[in-house]
Amino acid sequence: MDFELIILGAGAAGMMAAVACGEERLAQNLPALRLAILEKNARPGIKVLVCGGGRCNLTNAGSQDFLIRQFGRNGRFLTPALRHFDNDALRAWFAARGVPTHEEHDGKIYPDSNQAKSVVDALAARMAELGVASFAGPGCAATAVRKLGAGEPDSPGFAVTLTDGRTLSTSLLLLTVGGQSYTRMGTTGDGYRFAQAMGHTIVTPRPAIVPLLCQQSWVAECQGVAVQDVEVRIEAPGPLPRLATGKPAPSINDLMFTHFGLSGPAVLNISEIVAELLERFDVITLRIDLLRHHTREQLAAEMRQWQSGCGRRLPRTMLASLIPQRLADVLCRLAGIGETQTCAVLTAAQMHHLIESLKSLRFTVYQTRGFKEAMVTAGGVSLAEVNPDTMESRVCPGLFIAGEVLDLTGPSGGYNLQLAFSTGRLAGVNIARSLATATHSA
Ligand SMILES: Cc1cc2nc3c(=O)[nH]c(=O)nc-3n(C[C@H](O)[C@H](O)[C@H](O)COP(=O)(O)OP(=O)(O)OC[C@H]3O[C@@H](n4cnc5c(N)ncnc54)[C@H](O)[C@@H]3O)c2cc1C
């Protein structure tokens, strides 16, 4: 047998699993495992480096219950992993490794260094201390994985075939190859193929935390414009169908216009639901309340005040005190307000149109930006087939699965890295324990 454990994929989950496995062996006064972590990128943790715009929003300060709720219907699966290694434990682990963290808006946790590199470096340094053999580069990409049949040399165990032609054998296998989003980072959905080959069911992967394309071509004029604290609602054609995600549809957060449509956390966090609905409907309507702290009546009163008190001024100038100027320009035009028309001659119909635009701006979404631009992948290895207490497969003993490859997806805000770290950690500890038990009973 070449290795006792092979970890496929040196991302957040894989690196944390390798570290946890090594630390558990140390705690039990056992020698280091013959453990290899294989990564198809040139270096481990490449995707973590781009997290949070390079600053790495590595977790969220919410309670365990709050974190679980962020994962919708599937969140309960995470209970044992979070109980074992929650956000406080994660922060304490990094602080002990010289990476203190701090909390920002919405409970987002970042390293004090504001550099994702310090997170990756801490994990890589700990792996090296613990004697983890790390192999990275295109030649180390796994192309096929199979369970060894009874009677084959090295059985029971697994055979992992690499791009460079080598086949490695291992007693236990941990799958942490991530999803299939942001494919340029090495995550191309290989894990689904590997898991399927070992008997697992895959819940259809779909892009999540992904920008949306809409039919309203005027959005291009607002490219780069951000509006804070908006409320986004989904209007499906007919009653909103029962969603696989089980997540609440209204989303309150910041909005960003792009040259093709909509982005920003308010939209990204419901994009998984939109992606699911777009599988059934050609288009989905989003209604956005740009000024959720103003009622229609308050806005009507304010506009009457523009008429009486600022009659010689332009509506677009007045509106810019409430929303960004470029958006104000577009909304005035859509309301049929002429470029030189003053507030004094605003018609009731124009005011009504403006108020409706501010309170219920309509967008017709026809597509997401797809896996290429999605930050995470929804769907994945069916949770019913994985033991949440150990992360071991229920259909293929000896196979462990952790991280984004599982059918678990949170919104933006540090939840997805916490999921990867917690499930990776739990898998690593349980692998170390199961190998220790096997050694003792041998
Ligand atoms: C731009 C961007 C920003 C993000 N920002 C945040 C953030 O701030 N906070 C947050 O919580 N989440 C963020 N995420 C999501 C987060 O990156 C993922 O949820 C997390 O990295 C998943 O961890 P993982 O270990 O399961 O998979 P990954 O980190 O994706 O690691 C999987 C690894 O497996 C490797 N691999 C794949 N196939 C093979 C193979 N066949 N052989 C060998 N190796 C293979 C990949 O190269 C990769 O390194 C962001 C994602 C993106 C794209």
Side-chain angles (χ1 to χ4, degrees):
M1 189 70 77
D2 296 315
F3 295 99
E4 288 165 283
L5 169 65
I6 287 181
I7 300 177
L8 279 188
M15 293 175 88
M16 184 54 88
V19 161
C21 199
E23 289 180 347
E24 181 66 18
R25 294 286 288 190
L26 265 186
Q28 294 191 20
N29 275 325
L30 291 169
L33 286 179
R34 277 181 294 119
L35 185 172
I37 184 164
L38 305 178
E39 169 56 50
K40 66 156 75 156
N41 284 322
R43 278 175 295 126
I46 293 270
K47 197 166 188 183
V48 180
L49 289 178
V50 300
C51 280
R55 293 177 60 222
C56 192
N57 171 203
L58 74 166
T59 183
N60 190 283
S63 67
Q64 281 189 25
D65 278 350
F66 179 78
L67 297 186
I68 285 167
R69 279 202 304 278
Q70 304 311 306
F71 291 86
R73 193 163 296 150
N74 289 345
R76 287 173 67 86
F77 178 91
L78 274 178
T79 306
L82 281 173
R83 215 174 274 147
H84 178 74
F85 192 65
D86 66 4
N87 42 5
D88 290 336
L90 179 74
R91 294 181 72 179
W93 188 90
F94 276 106
R97 310 299 311 164
V99 186
T101 54
H102 65 274
E103 182 178 338
E104 295 188 11
H105 179 61
D106 281 343
K108 293 179 181 174
I109 304 292
Y110 292 88
D112 287 355
S113 64
N114 285 315
Q115 291 195 344
K117 188 174 178 302
S118 55
V119 171
V120 175
D121 286 351
L123 288 163
R126 188 63 174 148
M127 286 203 308
E129 276 172 20
L130 293 164
V132 174
S134 175
F135 302 96
C140 300
T143 53
V145 171
R146 70 181 181 88
K147 179 130 178 132
L148 294 168
E152 279 192 83
D154 292 333
S155 173
F158 299 85
V160 179
T161 306
L162 306 185
T163 320
D164 64 11
R166 278 180 297 165
T167 296
L168 304 173
S169 60
T170 178
S171 304
L172 300 182
L173 181 66
L174 171 58
L175 203 55
T176 50
V177 288
Q180 72 176 78
S181 50
Y182 235 67
T183 40
R184 61 183 175 278
M185 294 285 152
T187 38
T188 48
D190 302 358
Y192 308 135
R193 189 165 46 84
F194 298 157
Q196 237 166 353
M198 288 181 283
H200 277 278
T201 312
I202 305 301
V203 176
T204 310
R206 61 172 68 91
I209 315 190
V210 61
L212 303 176
L213 289 102
C214 68
Q215 289 176 348
Q216 284 69 20
S217 54
W218 61 259
V219 291
E221 295 172 54
C222 293
Q223 178 179 2
V225 168
V227 189
Q228 287 177 346
D229 198 25
V230 307
E231 179 172 324
V232 185
R233 289 186 171 276
I234 297 174
E235 256 182 28
L240 208 60
R242 189 175 163 78
L243 294 162
T245 58
K247 291 180 187 166
S251 165
I252 296 174
N253 214 311
D254 302 340
L255 171 74
M256 169 79 86
F257 289 93
T258 67
H259 65 284
F260 51 78
L262 305 169
S263 188
V267 163
L268 295 176
N269 287 342
I270 53 160
S271 59
E272 177 190 351
I273 302 172
V274 174
E276 187 180 335
L277 290 170
L278 284 173
E279 287 167 12
R280 304 177 217 184
F281 305 106
D282 291 339
V283 293
I284 295 298
T285 301
L286 294 186
R287 293 274 180 188
I288 301 190
D289 186 345
L290 296 168
L291 293 172
R292 62 187 200 88
H293 297 296
H294 292 65
T295 63
R296 283 178 167 76
E297 292 68 34
Q298 286 169 332
L299 289 170
E302 184 146 353
M303 286 179 195
R304 282 195 297 274
Q305 171 62 29
W306 298 352
Q307 276 182 315
S308 56
C310 318
R312 294 167 66 179
R313 301 192 68 182
L314 299 175
R316 58 179 288 272
T317 312
M318 303 308 293
L319 197 54
S321 64
L322 297 172
I323 55 172
Q325 182 68 69
R326 270 195 283 156
L327 182 57
D329 290 349
V330 171
L331 296 193
C332 283
R333 196 180 71 225
L334 294 178
I337 299 168
E339 280 190 15
T340 54
Q341 183 181 342
T342 60
C343 287
V345 289
L346 262 183
T347 67
Q350 287 170 334
M351 281 199 276
H352 177 75
H353 198 296
L354 264 190
I355 292 168
E356 284 312 303
S357 294
L358 292 168
K359 292 300 291 174
S360 185
L361 191 56
R362 184 170 173 276
F363 293 95
T364 315
V365 175
Y366 61 94
Q367 210 179 318
T368 74
R369 289 288 276 187
F371 285 115
K372 222 172 140 194
E373 288 191 29
M375 287 192 195
V376 291
T377 310
V381 176
S382 169
L383 300 182
E385 298 167 354
V386 179
N387 181 344
D389 294 317
T390 59
M391 295 294 140
E392 186 168 10
S393 162
R394 293 188 199 272
V395 297
C396 181
L399 171 67
F400 290 74
I401 306 174
E404 194 181 317
V405 68
L406 293 166
D407 179 21
L408 277 166
T409 317
S412 68
Y415 309 102
N416 290 297
L417 278 174
Q418 179 70 52
L419 143 74
F421 287 132
S422 292
T423 55
R425 182 102 201 159
L426 187 60
V429 165
N430 278 294
I431 287 168
R433 287 179 188 161
S434 81
L435 283 168
T437 313
T439 312
H440 282 130
S441 54

